[in-house]
Amino acid sequence: MSSTVDPVTFDTIAPQPVRTVDGTRMLLRGGQGVAGAALILTALGLWIAPGANWDPELVLLKLLISAVGAMVGVALLQGFVRPAAPKIEVDTIRHEVRLVRIRGKDRFVLDRCAFKDLTRVEDTGTYLKLWGGNGALLAEVAASDRVAHRSLVTALRVAGKL
């Protein structure tokens, strides 16, 4: 009996960017919205269709079909809404960049990368691009405050990235 090591590591897998540039997610959300609206309109159309049959057995079936169709339609329409972009937090004291999603009172850290683990940093005036440890674009920061920009550039220089 022998065991082998799988040479595939997590570093060789292509990282998922925060936002994709192609329109596949937009098309899927659009299709989801159209399907949700169609289900809701179909649920309403069952009741206002001319010449509808009002037998008690069929009314119960129509009620069940329209309730399920309306609930699924509302669920699809809620998924149609574009999610908010994650918030970028640059902590010059802890020397790290965080991507945070805030939902109500909850705060979820999506990604965290120390300045020393950044693969690349581009500085063009007041605009900085930071690439994470896996090579994916982590954040684009446009610092309008001169003191904050200077603090960030200094922290990146201390980490050896600029």
Side-chain angles (χ1 to χ4, degrees):
M1 198 192 256
S2 65
S3 65
T4 60
V5 177
D6 188 9
V8 176
T9 62
F10 287 109
D11 296 332
T12 60
I13 298 172
Q16 177 71 25
V18 176
R19 288 185 183 247
T20 56
V21 217
D22 61 350
T24 54
R25 288 184 183 170
M26 181 186 67
L27 288 175
L28 287 174
R29 281 196 317 265
Q32 194 173 359
V34 168
L39 278 172
I40 291 173
L41 290 175
T42 302
L44 291 174
L46 280 174
W47 295 100
I48 58 175
N53 193 349
W54 291 99
D55 290 336
E57 298 87 17
L58 288 178
V59 169
L60 186 61
L61 183 64
K62 282 166 80 172
L63 181 65
L64 176 69
I65 291 172
S66 63
V68 169
M71 285 188 284
V72 171
V74 167
L76 285 173
L77 281 178
Q78 286 188 355
F80 169 66
V81 178
R82 182 178 182 181
K87 188 177 178 183
I88 301 167
E89 292 181 355
V90 179
D91 193 349
T92 57
I93 296 172
R94 291 187 180 140
H95 293 272
E96 69 180 8
V97 179
R98 291 184 294 270
L99 292 177
V100 179
R101 174 144 307 149
I102 299 172
R103 289 187 187 149
K105 293 183 180 181
D106 296 330
R107 185 176 176 270
F108 302 102
V109 177
L110 300 176
D111 196 4
R112 173 179 297 172
C113 186
F115 286 170
K116 64 179 180 174
D117 297 333
L118 294 172
T119 56
R120 188 171 57 161
V121 176
E122 285 183 13
D123 182 15
T124 56
T126 61
Y127 190 74
L128 290 165
K129 286 185 180 180
L130 308 170
W131 276 267
N134 54 6
L137 181 63
L138 183 63
E140 297 178 3
V141 180
S144 58
D145 184 19
R146 180 173 277 189
V147 175
H149 179 68
R150 189 176 15 216
S151 174
L152 176 58
V153 168
T154 304
L156 287 170
R157 282 192 181 131
V158 167
K161 295 302 170 182
L162 282 178

